[in-house]
Amino acid sequence: MNLVLLGAPGAGKGTQAEVISNRLSIPIISTGAILREAVAAGTPLGVQAKTCMDAGELVPDELIISIIKQRLTAEDCSHGFILDGVPRNVSQADALKEMGVAVDAVIDIDVPDADIIARLSGRRVCGKCSAPYHLINKPPVVEGVCDVCGAPLVARADDSEATVSERLRVYHKNTEPLIDYYQKQGKLFVVDGSQSIQETTRLVFAVIEALS
Ligand code: AP5
């Protein structure tokens, strides 16, 4: 199954992607995580992406499309995948279509803006494997340490209040039109992401099971 997770910054895409990936044994393709790795490694892609990411803006489409083209050729994508944070605008969605990427369903995790700032101020991520945590809603077993790989947890550079406000503005302007885009194709399923993590997972799997 090829899934797209749509939603505002901090809506819970990464959190739900992790559960879906574990249960369905399909990989997560997170453009945000790939870009952060490139920034940390100081590659040419990372150098180009960093300014946009620090400002809360979108990275140019041509870089994203090239990342996706390359990633989807990997063997682990042959039985399905979860696109987390891509497409981010209509031109990226059109590019996926032109590449022949069949999207089975788009799950839009709907969370009001008011909840987003609180969520992102408490977010911590693993500096090594990117697993997401929250100081209150999803604390690790051992404070400050990733449950998955044991690496230290860090706050994301783009989770400051000013950058989150800009990311939300960019989301509403560029990404929200995808709701209509996929609704017209009959592929959109909206879940209420303002519930607890566990309840949101239940709603997400109600969609996935109805599709299977
Ligand atoms: P990206 O990494 O994709 O960030 P984002 O879309 O802004 O989304 P987030 O990762 O911030 O949030 P999430 O929805 O995954 O939430 P999470 O599960 O972590 O992109 C970063 C940047 O890269 C972009 O700004 C852009 O510059 C660039 N970029 C990436 N892709 C691009 C593309 N395709 N095109 C152009 N540029 C691109 O949850 C958030 C927190 O809330 C966590 O602490 C979690 O524990 C907690 N939480 C989750 N669910 C719940 C719940 N139900 N209740 C309470 N707490 C919850």
Side-chain angles (χ1 to χ4, degrees), residues 9-15 31 36 57 59 85 88 92 123 133 137 156 167 195:
K13 303 181 294 297
T15 301
T31 39
R36 278 185 291 280
E57 307 295 338
V59 170
R88 212 55 165 235
Q92 291 182 14
R123 170 163 60 183
Y133 297 86
N137 304 327
R156 258 174 55 174
R167 285 163 63 200
Q195 308 294 314

mmCIF file with all atom_site columns, all heavy atoms in Angstrom, residues 9-15 31 36 57 59 85 88 92 123 133 137 156 167 195, ligand 1:
data_model
loop_
_atom_site.group_PDB
_atom_site.id
_atom_site.type_symbol
_atom_site.label_atom_id
_atom_site.label_alt_id
_atom_site.label_comp_id
_atom_site.label_asym_id
_atom_site.label_entity_id
_atom_site.label_seq_id
_atom_site.pdbx_PDB_ins_code
_atom_site.Cartn_x
_atom_site.Cartn_y
_atom_site.Cartn_z
_atom_site.occupancy
_atom_site.B_iso_or_equiv
_atom_site.pdbx_formal_charge
_atom_site.auth_seq_id
_atom_site.auth_comp_id
_atom_site.auth_asym_id
_atom_site.auth_atom_id
_atom_site.pdbx_PDB_model_num
ATOM   1   N N   . PRO A 1 9   ? 2.520   21.209 10.082 1.00 0.00 ? 9   PRO A N   1
ATOM   2   C CA  . PRO A 1 9   ? 3.705   20.875 10.887 1.00 0.00 ? 9   PRO A CA  1
ATOM   3   C C   . PRO A 1 9   ? 3.260   20.502 12.297 1.00 0.00 ? 9   PRO A C   1
ATOM   4   O O   . PRO A 1 9   ? 2.425   21.200 12.879 1.00 0.00 ? 9   PRO A O   1
ATOM   5   C CB  . PRO A 1 9   ? 4.528   22.175 10.894 1.00 0.00 ? 9   PRO A CB  1
ATOM   6   C CG  . PRO A 1 9   ? 3.660   23.236 10.311 1.00 0.00 ? 9   PRO A CG  1
ATOM   7   C CD  . PRO A 1 9   ? 2.600   22.558 9.499  1.00 0.00 ? 9   PRO A CD  1
ATOM   8   N N   . GLY A 1 10  ? 3.759   19.391 12.788 1.00 0.00 ? 10  GLY A N   1
ATOM   9   C CA  . GLY A 1 10  ? 3.405   18.998 14.156 1.00 0.00 ? 10  GLY A CA  1
ATOM   10  C C   . GLY A 1 10  ? 2.072   18.297 14.278 1.00 0.00 ? 10  GLY A C   1
ATOM   11  O O   . GLY A 1 10  ? 1.631   17.975 15.391 1.00 0.00 ? 10  GLY A O   1
ATOM   12  N N   . ALA A 1 11  ? 1.407   18.000 13.156 1.00 0.00 ? 11  ALA A N   1
ATOM   13  C CA  . ALA A 1 11  ? 0.090   17.347 13.230 1.00 0.00 ? 11  ALA A CA  1
ATOM   14  C C   . ALA A 1 11  ? 0.202   15.909 13.726 1.00 0.00 ? 11  ALA A C   1
ATOM   15  O O   . ALA A 1 11  ? -0.780  15.335 14.202 1.00 0.00 ? 11  ALA A O   1
ATOM   16  C CB  . ALA A 1 11  ? -0.574  17.374 11.853 1.00 0.00 ? 11  ALA A CB  1
ATOM   17  N N   . GLY A 1 12  ? 1.396   15.336 13.595 1.00 0.00 ? 12  GLY A N   1
ATOM   18  C CA  . GLY A 1 12  ? 1.579   13.949 14.047 1.00 0.00 ? 12  GLY A CA  1
ATOM   19  C C   . GLY A 1 12  ? 1.870   12.997 12.896 1.00 0.00 ? 12  GLY A C   1
ATOM   20  O O   . GLY A 1 12  ? 1.752   11.776 13.058 1.00 0.00 ? 12  GLY A O   1
ATOM   21  N N   . LYS A 1 13  ? 2.307   13.520 11.771 1.00 0.00 ? 13  LYS A N   1
ATOM   22  C CA  . LYS A 1 13  ? 2.590   12.659 10.602 1.00 0.00 ? 13  LYS A CA  1
ATOM   23  C C   . LYS A 1 13  ? 3.708   11.663 10.927 1.00 0.00 ? 13  LYS A C   1
ATOM   24  O O   . LYS A 1 13  ? 3.585   10.471 10.668 1.00 0.00 ? 13  LYS A O   1
ATOM   25  C CB  . LYS A 1 13  ? 3.007   13.518 9.385  1.00 0.00 ? 13  LYS A CB  1
ATOM   26  C CG  . LYS A 1 13  ? 1.961   14.563 8.986  1.00 0.00 ? 13  LYS A CG  1
ATOM   27  C CD  . LYS A 1 13  ? 2.394   15.373 7.762  1.00 0.00 ? 13  LYS A CD  1
ATOM   28  C CE  . LYS A 1 13  ? 3.612   16.268 7.983  1.00 0.00 ? 13  LYS A CE  1
ATOM   29  N NZ  . LYS A 1 13  ? 3.413   17.335 8.993  1.00 0.00 ? 13  LYS A NZ  1
ATOM   30  N N   . GLY A 1 14  ? 4.814   12.171 11.475 1.00 0.00 ? 14  GLY A N   1
ATOM   31  C CA  . GLY A 1 14  ? 5.954   11.307 11.790 1.00 0.00 ? 14  GLY A CA  1
ATOM   32  C C   . GLY A 1 14  ? 5.596   10.263 12.840 1.00 0.00 ? 14  GLY A C   1
ATOM   33  O O   . GLY A 1 14  ? 5.994   9.096  12.732 1.00 0.00 ? 14  GLY A O   1
ATOM   34  N N   . THR A 1 15  ? 4.820   10.695 13.835 1.00 0.00 ? 15  THR A N   1
ATOM   35  C CA  . THR A 1 15  ? 4.421   9.786  14.921 1.00 0.00 ? 15  THR A CA  1
ATOM   36  C C   . THR A 1 15  ? 3.573   8.641  14.368 1.00 0.00 ? 15  THR A C   1
ATOM   37  O O   . THR A 1 15  ? 3.808   7.461  14.664 1.00 0.00 ? 15  THR A O   1
ATOM   38  C CB  . THR A 1 15  ? 3.618   10.573 15.982 1.00 0.00 ? 15  THR A CB  1
ATOM   39  O OG1 . THR A 1 15  ? 4.445   11.625 16.472 1.00 0.00 ? 15  THR A OG1 1
ATOM   40  C CG2 . THR A 1 15  ? 3.165   9.694  17.126 1.00 0.00 ? 15  THR A CG2 1
ATOM   41  N N   . THR A 1 31  ? 10.754  13.404 3.618  1.00 0.00 ? 31  THR A N   1
ATOM   42  C CA  . THR A 1 31  ? 11.690  14.349 2.989  1.00 0.00 ? 31  THR A CA  1
ATOM   43  C C   . THR A 1 31  ? 12.347  15.228 4.055  1.00 0.00 ? 31  THR A C   1
ATOM   44  O O   . THR A 1 31  ? 13.518  15.571 3.933  1.00 0.00 ? 31  THR A O   1
ATOM   45  C CB  . THR A 1 31  ? 10.980  15.207 1.920  1.00 0.00 ? 31  THR A CB  1
ATOM   46  O OG1 . THR A 1 31  ? 9.686   15.561 2.385  1.00 0.00 ? 31  THR A OG1 1
ATOM   47  C CG2 . THR A 1 31  ? 10.876  14.466 0.605  1.00 0.00 ? 31  THR A CG2 1
ATOM   48  N N   . ARG A 1 36  ? 17.217  16.792 6.798  1.00 0.00 ? 36  ARG A N   1
ATOM   49  C CA  . ARG A 1 36  ? 17.964  17.046 8.050  1.00 0.00 ? 36  ARG A CA  1
ATOM   50  C C   . ARG A 1 36  ? 19.259  16.241 8.086  1.00 0.00 ? 36  ARG A C   1
ATOM   51  O O   . ARG A 1 36  ? 20.290  16.738 8.538  1.00 0.00 ? 36  ARG A O   1
ATOM   52  C CB  . ARG A 1 36  ? 17.097  16.734 9.284  1.00 0.00 ? 36  ARG A CB  1
ATOM   53  C CG  . ARG A 1 36  ? 16.153  17.880 9.646  1.00 0.00 ? 36  ARG A CG  1
ATOM   54  C CD  . ARG A 1 36  ? 15.405  17.613 10.930 1.00 0.00 ? 36  ARG A CD  1
ATOM   55  N NE  . ARG A 1 36  ? 14.436  16.547 10.783 1.00 0.00 ? 36  ARG A NE  1
ATOM   56  C CZ  . ARG A 1 36  ? 13.234  16.693 10.229 1.00 0.00 ? 36  ARG A CZ  1
ATOM   57  N NH1 . ARG A 1 36  ? 12.837  17.868 9.789  1.00 0.00 ? 36  ARG A NH1 1
ATOM   58  N NH2 . ARG A 1 36  ? 12.402  15.677 10.109 1.00 0.00 ? 36  ARG A NH2 1
ATOM   59  N N   . GLU A 1 57  ? 10.625  27.833 5.286  1.00 0.00 ? 57  GLU A N   1
ATOM   60  C CA  . GLU A 1 57  ? 10.118  27.856 3.903  1.00 0.00 ? 57  GLU A CA  1
ATOM   61  C C   . GLU A 1 57  ? 10.286  26.475 3.272  1.00 0.00 ? 57  GLU A C   1
ATOM   62  O O   . GLU A 1 57  ? 11.061  25.650 3.763  1.00 0.00 ? 57  GLU A O   1
ATOM   63  C CB  . GLU A 1 57  ? 10.908  28.873 3.054  1.00 0.00 ? 57  GLU A CB  1
ATOM   64  C CG  . GLU A 1 57  ? 10.989  30.271 3.626  1.00 0.00 ? 57  GLU A CG  1
ATOM   65  C CD  . GLU A 1 57  ? 9.636   30.959 3.711  1.00 0.00 ? 57  GLU A CD  1
ATOM   66  O OE1 . GLU A 1 57  ? 8.727   30.548 2.972  1.00 0.00 ? 57  GLU A OE1 1
ATOM   67  O OE2 . GLU A 1 57  ? 9.492   31.870 4.539  1.00 0.00 ? 57  GLU A OE2 1
ATOM   68  N N   . VAL A 1 59  ? 11.711  23.832 0.605  1.00 0.00 ? 59  VAL A N   1
ATOM   69  C CA  . VAL A 1 59  ? 12.922  23.610 -0.192 1.00 0.00 ? 59  VAL A CA  1
ATOM   70  C C   . VAL A 1 59  ? 12.461  23.513 -1.659 1.00 0.00 ? 59  VAL A C   1
ATOM   71  O O   . VAL A 1 59  ? 11.366  23.008 -1.930 1.00 0.00 ? 59  VAL A O   1
ATOM   72  C CB  . VAL A 1 59  ? 13.601  22.303 0.304  1.00 0.00 ? 59  VAL A CB  1
ATOM   73  C CG1 . VAL A 1 59  ? 14.706  21.859 -0.603 1.00 0.00 ? 59  VAL A CG1 1
ATOM   74  C CG2 . VAL A 1 59  ? 14.088  22.500 1.736  1.00 0.00 ? 59  VAL A CG2 1
ATOM   75  N N   . GLY A 1 85  ? 5.255   14.040 4.588  1.00 0.00 ? 85  GLY A N   1
ATOM   76  C CA  . GLY A 1 85  ? 5.710   15.413 4.322  1.00 0.00 ? 85  GLY A CA  1
ATOM   77  C C   . GLY A 1 85  ? 5.980   15.694 2.860  1.00 0.00 ? 85  GLY A C   1
ATOM   78  O O   . GLY A 1 85  ? 6.563   16.720 2.536  1.00 0.00 ? 85  GLY A O   1
ATOM   79  N N   . ARG A 1 88  ? 4.180   18.438 -0.960 1.00 0.00 ? 88  ARG A N   1
ATOM   80  C CA  . ARG A 1 88  ? 3.988   19.594 -0.097 1.00 0.00 ? 88  ARG A CA  1
ATOM   81  C C   . ARG A 1 88  ? 3.240   20.705 -0.833 1.00 0.00 ? 88  ARG A C   1
ATOM   82  O O   . ARG A 1 88  ? 2.926   21.727 -0.273 1.00 0.00 ? 88  ARG A O   1
ATOM   83  C CB  . ARG A 1 88  ? 5.379   20.080 0.250  1.00 0.00 ? 88  ARG A CB  1
ATOM   84  C CG  . ARG A 1 88  ? 5.626   20.712 1.564  1.00 0.00 ? 88  ARG A CG  1
ATOM   85  C CD  . ARG A 1 88  ? 5.228   19.885 2.736  1.00 0.00 ? 88  ARG A CD  1
ATOM   86  N NE  . ARG A 1 88  ? 5.817   20.417 3.922  1.00 0.00 ? 88  ARG A NE  1
ATOM   87  C CZ  . ARG A 1 88  ? 6.567   19.735 4.762  1.00 0.00 ? 88  ARG A CZ  1
ATOM   88  N NH1 . ARG A 1 88  ? 6.793   18.474 4.573  1.00 0.00 ? 88  ARG A NH1 1
ATOM   89  N NH2 . ARG A 1 88  ? 7.055   20.315 5.822  1.00 0.00 ? 88  ARG A NH2 1
ATOM   90  N N   . GLN A 1 92  ? 4.451   19.353 -6.661 1.00 0.00 ? 92  GLN A N   1
ATOM   91  C CA  . GLN A 1 92  ? 5.088   18.090 -6.241 1.00 0.00 ? 92  GLN A CA  1
ATOM   92  C C   . GLN A 1 92  ? 4.134   16.903 -6.461 1.00 0.00 ? 92  GLN A C   1
ATOM   93  O O   . GLN A 1 92  ? 4.558   15.814 -6.861 1.00 0.00 ? 92  GLN A O   1
ATOM   94  C CB  . GLN A 1 92  ? 5.521   18.153 -4.776 1.00 0.00 ? 92  GLN A CB  1
ATOM   95  C CG  . GLN A 1 92  ? 6.675   19.110 -4.527 1.00 0.00 ? 92  GLN A CG  1
ATOM   96  C CD  . GLN A 1 92  ? 7.136   19.133 -3.066 1.00 0.00 ? 92  GLN A CD  1
ATOM   97  O OE1 . GLN A 1 92  ? 6.789   18.269 -2.273 1.00 0.00 ? 92  GLN A OE1 1
ATOM   98  N NE2 . GLN A 1 92  ? 7.932   20.134 -2.725 1.00 0.00 ? 92  GLN A NE2 1
ATOM   99  N N   . ARG A 1 123 ? 8.300   19.089 21.600 1.00 0.00 ? 123 ARG A N   1
ATOM   100 C CA  . ARG A 1 123 ? 8.823   17.973 20.792 1.00 0.00 ? 123 ARG A CA  1
ATOM   101 C C   . ARG A 1 123 ? 10.317  17.785 21.007 1.00 0.00 ? 123 ARG A C   1
ATOM   102 O O   . ARG A 1 123 ? 11.080  18.735 21.095 1.00 0.00 ? 123 ARG A O   1
ATOM   103 C CB  . ARG A 1 123 ? 8.570   18.209 19.306 1.00 0.00 ? 123 ARG A CB  1
ATOM   104 C CG  . ARG A 1 123 ? 9.336   17.176 18.475 1.00 0.00 ? 123 ARG A CG  1
ATOM   105 C CD  . ARG A 1 123 ? 8.881   17.025 17.069 1.00 0.00 ? 123 ARG A CD  1
ATOM   106 N NE  . ARG A 1 123 ? 8.968   18.231 16.293 1.00 0.00 ? 123 ARG A NE  1
ATOM   107 C CZ  . ARG A 1 123 ? 8.546   18.313 15.035 1.00 0.00 ? 123 ARG A CZ  1
ATOM   108 N NH1 . ARG A 1 123 ? 7.981   17.269 14.477 1.00 0.00 ? 123 ARG A NH1 1
ATOM   109 N NH2 . ARG A 1 123 ? 8.656   19.420 14.367 1.00 0.00 ? 123 ARG A NH2 1
ATOM   110 N N   . TYR A 1 133 ? 9.488   12.266 19.845 1.00 0.00 ? 133 TYR A N   1
ATOM   111 C CA  . TYR A 1 133 ? 9.011   12.167 21.237 1.00 0.00 ? 133 TYR A CA  1
ATOM   112 C C   . TYR A 1 133 ? 8.371   13.501 21.622 1.00 0.00 ? 133 TYR A C   1
ATOM   113 O O   . TYR A 1 133 ? 8.474   14.493 20.895 1.00 0.00 ? 133 TYR A O   1
ATOM   114 C CB  . TYR A 1 133 ? 10.180  11.877 22.192 1.00 0.00 ? 133 TYR A CB  1
ATOM   115 C CG  . TYR A 1 133 ? 10.828  10.549 21.918 1.00 0.00 ? 133 TYR A CG  1
ATOM   116 C CD1 . TYR A 1 133 ? 11.847  10.432 20.964 1.00 0.00 ? 133 TYR A CD1 1
ATOM   117 C CD2 . TYR A 1 133 ? 10.413  9.396  22.579 1.00 0.00 ? 133 TYR A CD2 1
ATOM   118 C CE1 . TYR A 1 133 ? 12.424  9.203  20.689 1.00 0.00 ? 133 TYR A CE1 1
ATOM   119 C CE2 . TYR A 1 133 ? 10.998  8.160  22.302 1.00 0.00 ? 133 TYR A CE2 1
ATOM   120 C CZ  . TYR A 1 133 ? 11.995  8.076  21.363 1.00 0.00 ? 133 TYR A CZ  1
ATOM   121 O OH  . TYR A 1 133 ? 12.563  6.857  21.088 1.00 0.00 ? 133 TYR A OH  1
ATOM   122 N N   . ASN A 1 137 ? 3.484   14.306 26.086 1.00 0.00 ? 137 ASN A N   1
ATOM   123 C CA  . ASN A 1 137 ? 2.579   13.359 25.412 1.00 0.00 ? 137 ASN A CA  1
ATOM   124 C C   . ASN A 1 137 ? 3.235   12.032 25.040 1.00 0.00 ? 137 ASN A C   1
ATOM   125 O O   . ASN A 1 137 ? 2.548   11.023 24.899 1.00 0.00 ? 137 ASN A O   1
ATOM   126 C CB  . ASN A 1 137 ? 2.005   13.981 24.139 1.00 0.00 ? 137 ASN A CB  1
ATOM   127 C CG  . ASN A 1 137 ? 1.316   15.292 24.426 1.00 0.00 ? 137 ASN A CG  1
ATOM   128 O OD1 . ASN A 1 137 ? 0.732   15.472 25.491 1.00 0.00 ? 137 ASN A OD1 1
ATOM   129 N ND2 . ASN A 1 137 ? 1.384   16.222 23.490 1.00 0.00 ? 137 ASN A ND2 1
ATOM   130 N N   . ARG A 1 156 ? 14.328  20.259 17.690 1.00 0.00 ? 156 ARG A N   1
ATOM   131 C CA  . ARG A 1 156 ? 14.602  20.586 16.289 1.00 0.00 ? 156 ARG A CA  1
ATOM   132 C C   . ARG A 1 156 ? 14.819  22.082 16.118 1.00 0.00 ? 156 ARG A C   1
ATOM   133 O O   . ARG A 1 156 ? 14.113  22.888 16.728 1.00 0.00 ? 156 ARG A O   1
ATOM   134 C CB  . ARG A 1 156 ? 13.423  20.130 15.406 1.00 0.00 ? 156 ARG A CB  1
ATOM   135 C CG  . ARG A 1 156 ? 13.738  18.849 14.680 1.00 0.00 ? 156 ARG A CG  1
ATOM   136 C CD  . ARG A 1 156 ? 12.589  18.283 13.933 1.00 0.00 ? 156 ARG A CD  1
ATOM   137 N NE  . ARG A 1 156 ? 11.972  19.193 12.972 1.00 0.00 ? 156 ARG A NE  1
ATOM   138 C CZ  . ARG A 1 156 ? 11.016  18.830 12.137 1.00 0.00 ? 156 ARG A CZ  1
ATOM   139 N NH1 . ARG A 1 156 ? 10.572  17.587 12.159 1.00 0.00 ? 156 ARG A NH1 1
ATOM   140 N NH2 . ARG A 1 156 ? 10.482  19.691 11.305 1.00 0.00 ? 156 ARG A NH2 1
ATOM   141 N N   . ARG A 1 167 ? 6.056   28.263 9.276  1.00 0.00 ? 167 ARG A N   1
ATOM   142 C CA  . ARG A 1 167 ? 5.759   26.945 8.689  1.00 0.00 ? 167 ARG A CA  1
ATOM   143 C C   . ARG A 1 167 ? 4.247   26.753 8.557  1.00 0.00 ? 167 ARG A C   1
ATOM   144 O O   . ARG A 1 167 ? 3.767   26.172 7.587  1.00 0.00 ? 167 ARG A O   1
ATOM   145 C CB  . ARG A 1 167 ? 6.381   25.837 9.547  1.00 0.00 ? 167 ARG A CB  1
ATOM   146 C CG  . ARG A 1 167 ? 7.898   25.755 9.365  1.00 0.00 ? 167 ARG A CG  1
ATOM   147 C CD  . ARG A 1 167 ? 8.568   24.979 10.487 1.00 0.00 ? 167 ARG A CD  1
ATOM   148 N NE  . ARG A 1 167 ? 8.166   23.601 10.569 1.00 0.00 ? 167 ARG A NE  1
ATOM   149 C CZ  . ARG A 1 167 ? 8.300   22.842 11.657 1.00 0.00 ? 167 ARG A CZ  1
ATOM   150 N NH1 . ARG A 1 167 ? 8.844   23.344 12.753 1.00 0.00 ? 167 ARG A NH1 1
ATOM   151 N NH2 . ARG A 1 167 ? 7.899   21.599 11.656 1.00 0.00 ? 167 ARG A NH2 1
ATOM   152 N N   . GLN A 1 195 ? -6.945  14.364 18.841 1.00 0.00 ? 195 GLN A N   1
ATOM   153 C CA  . GLN A 1 195 ? -7.105  13.352 19.899 1.00 0.00 ? 195 GLN A CA  1
ATOM   154 C C   . GLN A 1 195 ? -5.728  12.918 20.408 1.00 0.00 ? 195 GLN A C   1
ATOM   155 O O   . GLN A 1 195 ? -4.709  13.354 19.881 1.00 0.00 ? 195 GLN A O   1
ATOM   156 C CB  . GLN A 1 195 ? -7.823  12.130 19.317 1.00 0.00 ? 195 GLN A CB  1
ATOM   157 C CG  . GLN A 1 195 ? -9.114  12.436 18.590 1.00 0.00 ? 195 GLN A CG  1
ATOM   158 C CD  . GLN A 1 195 ? -10.177 12.956 19.525 1.00 0.00 ? 195 GLN A CD  1
ATOM   159 O OE1 . GLN A 1 195 ? -10.380 12.398 20.598 1.00 0.00 ? 195 GLN A OE1 1
ATOM   160 N NE2 . GLN A 1 195 ? -10.818 14.049 19.150 1.00 0.00 ? 195 GLN A NE2 1
HETATM 161 P P1  . AP5 B 2 .   ? 9.182   18.086 8.003  1.00 0.00 ? 1   AP5 B P1  1
HETATM 162 O O1  . AP5 B 2 .   ? 10.205  17.398 8.790  1.00 0.00 ? 1   AP5 B O1  1
HETATM 163 O O2  . AP5 B 2 .   ? 8.378   17.318 7.032  1.00 0.00 ? 1   AP5 B O2  1
HETATM 164 O O3  . AP5 B 2 .   ? 8.279   18.898 9.033  1.00 0.00 ? 1   AP5 B O3  1
HETATM 165 P P2  . AP5 B 2 .   ? 6.702   19.217 9.085  1.00 0.00 ? 1   AP5 B P2  1
HETATM 166 O O4  . AP5 B 2 .   ? 5.870   18.761 7.943  1.00 0.00 ? 1   AP5 B O4  1
HETATM 167 O O5  . AP5 B 2 .   ? 6.674   20.644 9.393  1.00 0.00 ? 1   AP5 B O5  1
HETATM 168 O O6  . AP5 B 2 .   ? 6.182   18.273 10.119 1.00 0.00 ? 1   AP5 B O6  1
HETATM 169 P P3  . AP5 B 2 .   ? 6.812   17.913 11.454 1.00 0.00 ? 1   AP5 B P3  1
HETATM 170 O O7  . AP5 B 2 .   ? 7.886   16.871 11.269 1.00 0.00 ? 1   AP5 B O7  1
HETATM 171 O O8  . AP5 B 2 .   ? 7.217   19.167 12.178 1.00 0.00 ? 1   AP5 B O8  1
HETATM 172 O O9  . AP5 B 2 .   ? 5.590   17.331 12.267 1.00 0.00 ? 1   AP5 B O9  1
HETATM 173 P P4  . AP5 B 2 .   ? 4.817   15.949 12.222 1.00 0.00 ? 1   AP5 B P4  1
HETATM 174 O O10 . AP5 B 2 .   ? 3.496   16.160 11.597 1.00 0.00 ? 1   AP5 B O10 1
HETATM 175 O O11 . AP5 B 2 .   ? 5.664   14.846 11.669 1.00 0.00 ? 1   AP5 B O11 1
HETATM 176 O O12 . AP5 B 2 .   ? 4.575   15.764 13.757 1.00 0.00 ? 1   AP5 B O12 1
HETATM 177 P P5  . AP5 B 2 .   ? 5.254   14.753 14.810 1.00 0.00 ? 1   AP5 B P5  1
HETATM 178 O O13 . AP5 B 2 .   ? 4.740   13.368 14.591 1.00 0.00 ? 1   AP5 B O13 1
HETATM 179 O O14 . AP5 B 2 .   ? 6.721   14.933 14.870 1.00 0.00 ? 1   AP5 B O14 1
HETATM 180 O O15 . AP5 B 2 .   ? 9.840   19.315 7.183  1.00 0.00 ? 1   AP5 B O15 1
HETATM 181 C C1  . AP5 B 2 .   ? 10.777  20.191 7.760  1.00 0.00 ? 1   AP5 B C1  1
HETATM 182 C C2  . AP5 B 2 .   ? 11.226  21.203 6.718  1.00 0.00 ? 1   AP5 B C2  1
HETATM 183 O O16 . AP5 B 2 .   ? 11.873  20.511 5.622  1.00 0.00 ? 1   AP5 B O16 1
HETATM 184 C C3  . AP5 B 2 .   ? 10.103  22.008 6.068  1.00 0.00 ? 1   AP5 B C3  1
HETATM 185 O O17 . AP5 B 2 .   ? 9.769   23.156 6.811  1.00 0.00 ? 1   AP5 B O17 1
HETATM 186 C C4  . AP5 B 2 .   ? 10.736  22.352 4.715  1.00 0.00 ? 1   AP5 B C4  1
HETATM 187 O O18 . AP5 B 2 .   ? 11.671  23.415 4.840  1.00 0.00 ? 1   AP5 B O18 1
HETATM 188 C C5  . AP5 B 2 .   ? 11.523  21.099 4.377  1.00 0.00 ? 1   AP5 B C5  1
HETATM 189 N N1  . AP5 B 2 .   ? 10.731  20.120 3.605  1.00 0.00 ? 1   AP5 B N1  1
HETATM 190 C C6  . AP5 B 2 .   ? 10.378  18.865 3.998  1.00 0.00 ? 1   AP5 B C6  1
HETATM 191 N N2  . AP5 B 2 .   ? 9.693   18.251 3.044  1.00 0.00 ? 1   AP5 B N2  1
HETATM 192 C C7  . AP5 B 2 .   ? 9.571   19.120 2.023  1.00 0.00 ? 1   AP5 B C7  1
HETATM 193 C C8  . AP5 B 2 .   ? 8.937   19.060 0.758  1.00 0.00 ? 1   AP5 B C8  1
HETATM 194 N N3  . AP5 B 2 .   ? 8.279   17.964 0.352  1.00 0.00 ? 1   AP5 B N3  1
HETATM 195 N N4  . AP5 B 2 .   ? 9.011   20.157 -0.030 1.00 0.00 ? 1   AP5 B N4  1
HETATM 196 C C9  . AP5 B 2 .   ? 9.686   21.261 0.333  1.00 0.00 ? 1   AP5 B C9  1
HETATM 197 N N5  . AP5 B 2 .   ? 10.311  21.384 1.526  1.00 0.00 ? 1   AP5 B N5  1
HETATM 198 C C10 . AP5 B 2 .   ? 10.255  20.316 2.373  1.00 0.00 ? 1   AP5 B C10 1
HETATM 199 O O19 . AP5 B 2 .   ? 4.561   15.303 16.158 1.00 0.00 ? 1   AP5 B O19 1
HETATM 200 C C11 . AP5 B 2 .   ? 4.899   16.576 16.657 1.00 0.00 ? 1   AP5 B C11 1
HETATM 201 C C12 . AP5 B 2 .   ? 4.970   16.515 18.200 1.00 0.00 ? 1   AP5 B C12 1
HETATM 202 O O20 . AP5 B 2 .   ? 3.650   16.292 18.709 1.00 0.00 ? 1   AP5 B O20 1
HETATM 203 C C13 . AP5 B 2 .   ? 5.829   15.341 18.726 1.00 0.00 ? 1   AP5 B C13 1
HETATM 204 O O21 . AP5 B 2 .   ? 6.469   15.780 19.886 1.00 0.00 ? 1   AP5 B O21 1
HETATM 205 C C14 . AP5 B 2 .   ? 4.801   14.241 19.029 1.00 0.00 ? 1   AP5 B C14 1
HETATM 206 O O22 . AP5 B 2 .   ? 5.247   13.399 20.071 1.00 0.00 ? 1   AP5 B O22 1
HETATM 207 C C15 . AP5 B 2 .   ? 3.568   15.051 19.436 1.00 0.00 ? 1   AP5 B C15 1
HETATM 208 N N6  . AP5 B 2 .   ? 2.317   14.433 19.002 1.00 0.00 ? 1   AP5 B N6  1
HETATM 209 C C16 . AP5 B 2 .   ? 2.074   13.763 17.839 1.00 0.00 ? 1   AP5 B C16 1
HETATM 210 N N7  . AP5 B 2 .   ? 0.779   13.363 17.773 1.00 0.00 ? 1   AP5 B N7  1
HETATM 211 C C17 . AP5 B 2 .   ? 0.195   13.817 18.920 1.00 0.00 ? 1   AP5 B C17 1
HETATM 212 C C18 . AP5 B 2 .   ? -1.161  13.713 19.448 1.00 0.00 ? 1   AP5 B C18 1
HETATM 213 N N8  . AP5 B 2 .   ? -2.136  13.081 18.776 1.00 0.00 ? 1   AP5 B N8  1
HETATM 214 N N9  . AP5 B 2 .   ? -1.402  14.301 20.640 1.00 0.00 ? 1   AP5 B N9  1
HETATM 215 C C19 . AP5 B 2 .   ? -0.423  14.949 21.333 1.00 0.00 ? 1   AP5 B C19 1
HETATM 216 N N10 . AP5 B 2 .   ? 0.878   15.063 20.904 1.00 0.00 ? 1   AP5 B N10 1
HETATM 217 C C20 . AP5 B 2 .   ? 1.161   14.502 19.709 1.00 0.00 ? 1   AP5 B C20 1
#
